[in-house]
Amino acid sequence: MSTCAIIPPNTFSMAPYSGVWSKMLAAHLLRRTTLGPTQAQIDAAFSDGVDLAVESILQSSILTDEPVTWHPGETVAPQGETWVDKFMTPDPLLEDQVNAARQKSLFSWTAGRMNKEQLGAANITEKMVFFWQNHFGIQQVRDDRLNYNYFKTLEANAIGNFKTVVESITINGAMMKFLDTASNTKWSPNENYSRELLELYSIGKGLQTGPGDYSNYTEDDILSGARILTGWKVRENMSSTANPYIEFEPNHHDTDPKQLSYHFNNMILFNDDENEYKNFIDAIFSKEETAYHICRKLYRYFVSTELTEQIEATVIDTMAQTMISNNYEIRPVLAQLFKSEHFYDSTIIGSHLKAPYEFIFSMLNPTLSFPSHNEEGNNVIWNILYNAASVMDQNWYVAPSVAGWPAYYVKPGYMQLWLNSATIDRRFWLVSLLTEHSTGISDDVTGTVYSFKIDALAFVDQLQTPSDGVAVIEQMCNLFFARPLLQTKKDRLLNILSDFLPAFEWTLQYNEYLSNTHDPVLREPVKQRVEAVLSEIFKLPEFQSC
């Protein structure tokens, strides 16, 4: 099934790309940085040229919308209003019901944001928010107000400063509850967050060099970090507090000096109460390996999982030094990467296996498919899409471990881990649901049925020359595939479009439909032909990669 065999790059140069800028390269940039570009977005990126296209993608995009109540299980926030600033419920018997309603709302809101990428200019924010969720892997905590705040913390820092996002996530309520910082006291220091801060979230563990000693820190550093982080609390009275908040409790904080190891120049951190954790993070970020660690993860996420010695010595080293010289700002590093000759190497294009969310929205967004029901109906559909990704092994709010999803770090499979007999079957099931089936999606409480599938006619009508079958297939291939498709496969797609008749039959059929677009006798055969082509495209191995 996979098309992602690793081939060594032809160039490792991080110099600015100076070759011919094509629509294929513009599409490559957008496929790696967004969740499925539209033709209009590709055309705009091509027209802009590489420099302007990259700068446009890296513009900050903070949305102000909030998840709203749409599920009848919510008994506190009125229908159609947000619940993120509302208390839970004073009735303990209703707590599970309200939690379930808010969870559905949060999930549908998250999927809806990904789907709304098609409505504006191409932007990297949603891809970066998931990058941080994978980097700071947590599992959903019980209070979804905290989960929402966690998302907004990641969004606010999506392409900002790495050190700032580490500081922010350290005292984020969802993270504090997940890794027990909220119960960390001077009498019983908890090492969970301190360990992951060093091992995963900042400097990285490296190889073990001795008992309790790793390349970048020691077990004693973990214990010192735990003591530094004592005293922080999450205040969360479920039935009366409108918003959970974070508070520092001085009486629970260890005020004795903390000795760091030789990895941090034997630094001693003295008591600084609520600012002491920042001093610890300062010590971590004084070491260059912190920049190298995050740059490796950015490279694996956006470019390739293959980190050879040559890539380390050229690409990663250049990225890390750019990060250090820019005081750990993310944007300059990404700009350098996306403008580089290496990023547009022919071996990189089409080598990345799509994660479930990339797969789902690279069907919906390029085809301008967006639910158009009432508030409840749209959210029911987005909730189904969220759950579809979950059964393909990518549940946004439930990372498999603190290290994130195995596809981003487990050798030698990496991205290949997204595909197995079960997840391929689920991908194909979703393709059929979105292209072929006429049945709707039912709300699990009200039983209301909402229809949703790709609007094949709206999609084909906006192509450049929709009456020309050969041109239709060519435009679809350019939109959906990272590399040129074999002619034999294009011929098969054309046969499906023309119902295995000569190609001019499509032209006749389409023009008849145009003569009376409301006549179902003329309309349905055209619609079914396009749906059949899209179904075939989305099941091809070549579509699974970008």
Side-chain angles (χ1 to χ4, degrees):
M1 185 70 193
S2 170
T3 62
C4 299
I6 295 173
I7 302 171
N10 298 307
T11 176
F12 300 89
S13 172
M14 290 296 285
Y17 179 76
S18 58
V20 176
W21 183 240
S22 65
K23 285 192 178 182
M24 186 180 82
L25 296 184
H28 166 64
L29 170 66
L30 296 187
R31 288 191 187 104
R32 292 298 178 93
T33 56
T34 72
L35 290 161
T38 65
Q39 187 62 57
Q41 290 170 336
I42 294 171
D43 291 344
F46 170 66
S47 177
D48 284 345
V50 60
D51 288 346
L52 284 178
V54 170
E55 293 302 325
S56 177
I57 288 166
L58 295 177
Q59 294 302 307
S60 179
S61 176
I62 306 298
L63 299 181
T64 57
D65 68 319
E66 296 176 332
V68 299
T69 298
W70 57 268
H71 194 278
E74 172 68 64
T75 62
V76 179
Q79 295 292 306
E81 294 185 15
T82 187
W83 46 263
V84 301
D85 58 351
K86 307 294 193 301
F87 60 84
M88 273 297 296
T89 173
D91 186 348
L93 298 178
L94 292 177
E95 192 172 306
D96 286 344
Q97 173 186 306
V98 174
N99 266 325
R102 292 185 177 186
Q103 182 182 85
K104 287 179 179 292
S105 172
L106 183 68
F107 290 175
S108 63
W109 173 78
T110 304
R113 287 173 57 104
M114 298 180 188
N115 195 191
K116 291 173 185 175
E117 273 200 345
Q118 64 181 273
L119 301 179
N123 191 274
I124 200 173
T125 299
E126 295 302 323
K127 280 292 279 281
M128 278 304 298
V129 170
F130 187 78
F131 170 82
W132 291 123
Q133 155 63 343
N134 180 68
H135 181 71
F136 298 109
I138 73 166
Q139 293 193 355
Q140 182 181 18
V141 297
R142 183 165 175 78
D143 189 342
D144 279 304
R145 296 172 299 179
L146 293 176
N147 296 314
Y148 168 77
N149 289 338
Y150 168 79
F151 184 104
K152 295 302 285 186
T153 296
L154 301 184
E155 182 192 39
N157 295 281
I159 48 175
N161 186 279
F162 181 37
K163 184 177 177 184
T164 299
V165 71
V166 170
E167 290 177 350
S168 298
I169 212 70
T170 297
I171 56 169
N172 176 270
M175 178 62 80
M176 288 173 64
K177 289 181 73 68
F178 177 61
L179 286 180
D180 304 309
T181 316
S183 58
N184 187 17
T185 70
K186 63 183 179 182
W187 304 286
S188 182
N190 188 299
E191 297 181 8
N192 284 352
Y193 182 76
S194 178
R195 180 175 300 278
E196 306 311 342
L197 172 63
L198 289 166
E199 181 175 340
L200 298 172
Y201 301 159
S202 59
I203 197 169
K205 186 174 185 177
L207 300 175
Q208 186 162 353
T209 57
D213 194 350
Y214 312 104
S215 300
N216 301 316
Y217 61 88
T218 68
E219 287 290 327
D220 287 341
D221 290 322
I222 294 172
L223 178 57
S224 292
R227 293 173 56 211
I228 289 165
L229 290 162
T230 53
W232 288 96
K233 306 295 176 187
V234 180
R235 303 304 189 193
E236 187 191 19
N237 187 327
M238 301 287 276
S239 62
S240 63
T241 301
N243 244 326
Y245 62 94
I246 311 305
E247 185 176 58
F248 181 73
E249 177 55 70
N251 293 333
H252 290 193
H253 179 62
D254 185 334
T255 58
D256 290 336
K258 290 87 176 177
Q259 173 78 59
L260 300 182
S261 72
Y262 71 96
H263 290 292
F264 301 100
N265 304 321
N266 297 307
M267 182 184 299
I268 297 176
L269 294 181
F270 295 96
N271 179 49
D272 200 8
D273 291 326
E274 67 268 28
N275 293 314
E276 196 171 332
Y277 79 98
K278 292 184 179 181
N279 300 337
F280 183 40
I281 292 172
D282 284 344
I284 296 170
F285 275 75
S286 70
K287 299 301 175 182
E288 289 194 347
E289 180 54 33
T290 302
Y292 282 84
H293 180 65
I294 194 65
C295 286
R296 291 184 191 105
K297 297 194 76 169
L298 288 167
Y299 183 85
R300 282 201 171 108
Y301 187 71
F302 285 110
V303 186
S304 172
T305 54
E306 188 73 358
L307 283 176
T308 63
E309 289 184 6
Q310 193 166 6
I311 289 173
E312 281 279 355
T314 53
V315 179
I316 303 301
D317 183 68
T318 301
M319 291 171 65
Q321 290 304 315
T322 296
M323 178 170 282
I324 292 165
S325 65
N326 284 276
N327 196 29
Y328 286 90
E329 291 291 330
I330 295 289
R331 187 192 304 266
V333 178
L334 293 180
Q336 180 183 49
L337 178 63
F338 299 148
K339 293 177 183 179
S340 70
E341 291 183 353
H342 177 70
F343 185 74
Y344 298 100
D345 189 281
S346 60
T347 65
I348 299 297
I349 298 170
S351 66
H352 176 101
L353 189 64
K354 292 176 184 174
Y357 282 119
E358 293 170 317
F359 171 74
I360 291 171
F361 293 104
S362 63
M363 291 188 288
L364 297 179
N365 293 355
T367 57
L368 308 175
S369 300
F370 187 84
S372 56
H373 299 288
N374 57 19
E375 191 89 65
E376 179 185 297
N378 291 347
N379 279 286
V380 165
I381 289 164
W382 285 325
N383 197 65
I384 292 292
L385 295 175
Y386 181 98
N387 290 331
S390 297
V391 298
M392 296 175 202
D393 294 340
Q394 193 176 29
N395 185 332
W396 203 105
Y397 286 94
V398 188
S401 74
V402 288
W405 279 263
Y408 297 106
Y409 68 91
V410 173
K411 298 179 181 180
Y414 290 113
M415 296 293 178
Q416 310 291 331
L417 298 175
W418 290 126
L419 292 186
N420 55 52
S421 58
T423 58
I424 291 172
D425 185 61
R426 290 162 189 161
R427 287 189 181 212
F428 285 6
W429 165 83
L430 185 62
V431 170
S432 297
L433 182 70
L434 294 174
T435 59
E436 299 167 356
H437 292 179
S438 58
T439 55
I441 296 171
S442 177
D443 176 40
D444 62 352
V445 174
T446 65
T448 305
V449 176
Y450 297 100
S451 61
F452 180 62
K453 60 192 300 190
I454 290 170
D455 190 337
L457 286 176
F459 169 64
V460 77
D461 287 347
Q462 55 86 41
L463 295 179
Q464 214 165 26
T465 49
S467 63
D468 183 335
V470 174
V472 166
I473 297 304
E474 193 66 32
Q475 289 172 65
M476 285 188 182
C477 289
N478 291 339
L479 179 61
F480 293 119
F481 300 123
R483 295 174 180 268
L485 196 66
L486 289 174
Q487 187 59 48
T488 53
K489 294 191 176 185
K490 288 183 181 180
D491 292 342
R492 172 167 171 76
L493 294 174
L494 180 59
N495 283 334
I496 294 172
L497 185 69
S498 61
D499 203 14
F500 293 89
L501 296 170
F504 68 82
E505 292 290 346
W506 165 258
T507 302
L508 296 175
Q509 191 174 49
Y510 184 81
N511 286 335
E512 284 181 353
Y513 148 72
L514 283 184
S515 69
N516 188 353
T517 57
H518 298 292
D519 184 347
V521 175
L522 302 176
R523 180 185 176 90
E524 282 304 307
V526 173
K527 173 174 168 287
Q528 290 170 9
R529 298 269 57 80
V530 179
E531 288 174 346
V533 171
L534 290 174
S535 179
E536 181 77 6
I537 284 174
F538 297 152
K539 291 176 182 177
L540 283 174
E542 291 84 354
F543 181 74
Q544 312 307 313
S545 62
C546 65

